[in-house]
Each structure stands twice: as C-alpha cells, then as structure tokens.
Amino acid sequence: LMKALDLDLPVIVCLNKIDRPEARPNEVVDEVLELLMDLDASDEQLDCPFLYASAKGGYCVRELMDLHGGGKRDMTPLFETILDYIPCPEGDPEANTQVLISTIDYNEYVGRIGIGKVDNGSLKLNQDAIVLNHHNPERQEKGRISKLYEFDGLEKVDVDHADIGSIVAISGISDLHIGDTICG
C-alpha cells in the first residue's frame, strides 16, 4: 500500500468477510482511513471507494444498506468499480516489447513460468526475447517465448499474441526471476 500511495496510484478498498456475525465494517473503514492518513495518502486517495464483500458468498455491495435489499448478489459492483476507477493501461504499442515479471509459476511440462503485464509493445508466440534485471544489469539472457498465456478468470488460456495491459504467463525462458524485464 505504501508503494502504491508513493506512486500516486488510485486505491479501492474492498472489505471481505462481511457475512460473518463478528464483522465490524464501520470500524474497519475508520481503521483503513487512519492507515491511509498515516501513510500520507493524497486527498484523491483518501476519497477512494469502499466496497463490502463476501468472497465465500460470491457477492459484493457498494453500501452496507444494499445487504438488506435482497437484490442481485454477485461481484458486479467490484468489477464495475475497478473499470470505473482504475485508469486504462498506458504504453506505446509501437515500442519494443517490455514485460515486468511480477510472480513466478511452475509447470512440470513447460518448466518455469513468468507472469507479468505487457507495459509496451506486444508479445508473440515464438518471439525472440532478452531478459534484463534492474538489480543485475550485467545479466542478460536470451530466449524464445515458447508458450504464451493470458488469463480467463484464474485459468491460463493459450494465445498467440498479447498487447499492452494484458497479464500474461510466459514460458520458454528457463531462468526467470521476479523483477526481470522481458524485452523484444
């Protein structure tokens, strides 16, 4: 949260487990606001949307009063808030490929899988790539994108191409680490 605030990123607060008898959403909202103030959040960040959810129950509401209305119960309010409040990805589609690896997965068939967001350019299946690491600029590894996936919910789906803003999973480069940048 501190890093997100420092980068002046927008914030959405979603309080989970509101279906529990011991839930105290109003007090938690106050605690979150105090935390945001302690972390020097801007006025825009302090004016962030608060949502109330039960992941187990599969629903989210914008207002606590909506829990008693008996209306449609799903995650639509969360998804709509993300679409309305978080800016679209920015980047240059004509620039060289740039993907920052933010997490690592593993599959016994394809090996190490890097997961990250396409920040510039685009990725293509079988594209040659170079892996750079900001913390170790002398380390450069060449590779080829042998498998490219996007996400459909939590499932990985094979794709041939991915553009700016896509969250992708990449295999074919054996020594990927969190913080590596794939360039092409």
Side-chain angles (χ1 to χ4, degrees):
L1 179 60
M2 185 184 312
K3 289 183 185 231
L5 295 175
D6 287 345
L7 291 170
D8 201 29
L9 297 175
V11 175
I12 296 172
V13 178
C14 185
L15 305 179
N16 191 23
K17 302 185 188 299
I18 60 165
D19 55 330
R20 291 195 174 180
E22 67 273 11
R24 46 186 193 84
N26 293 321
E27 292 89 354
V28 173
V29 167
D30 291 341
E31 291 171 8
V32 170
L33 285 170
E34 285 179 29
L35 173 63
L36 289 168
M37 287 187 281
D38 288 345
L39 295 174
D40 295 323
S42 68
D43 289 342
E44 292 81 19
Q45 291 166 325
L46 285 169
D47 193 29
C48 64
F50 282 79
L51 298 156
Y52 308 90
S54 168
K56 184 178 181 181
Y59 62 87
C60 179
V61 295
R62 295 179 203 277
E63 302 290 335
L64 287 173
M65 295 178 294
D66 295 342
L67 287 174
H68 308 294
K72 185 170 86 170
R73 292 261 177 113
D74 60 19
M75 288 294 193
T76 300
L78 176 61
F79 300 140
E80 288 175 348
T81 302
I82 292 168
L83 290 173
D84 293 342
Y85 198 73
I86 303 299
C88 293
E90 296 178 4
D92 182 355
E94 303 302 318
N96 290 332
T97 300
Q98 193 173 27
V99 178
L100 177 64
I101 300 300
S102 55
T103 191
I104 300 292
D105 195 4
Y106 183 82
N107 177 294
E108 63 185 65
Y109 299 108
V110 297
R112 206 163 169 88
I113 300 171
I115 300 172
K117 183 178 84 162
V118 179
D119 290 320
N120 281 311
S122 61
L123 267 180
K124 295 179 183 75
L125 189 62
N126 297 318
Q127 175 180 336
D128 289 328
I130 297 174
V131 179
L132 306 173
N133 188 292
H134 176 73
H135 301 291
N136 185 2
E138 294 180 16
R139 179 182 158 255
Q140 291 187 12
E141 180 180 340
K142 292 182 180 182
R144 180 177 295 251
I145 309 299
S146 64
K147 282 288 211 176
L148 181 61
Y149 311 94
E150 284 187 348
F151 290 88
D152 182 11
L154 297 176
E155 299 297 316
K156 289 191 225 49
V157 178
D158 285 299
V159 294
D160 294 330
H161 183 265
D163 294 313
I164 291 174
S166 296
I167 306 296
V168 295
I170 302 163
S171 65
I173 302 170
S174 61
D175 196 27
L176 276 177
H177 299 279
I178 293 174
D180 284 349
T181 300
I182 295 178
C183 304

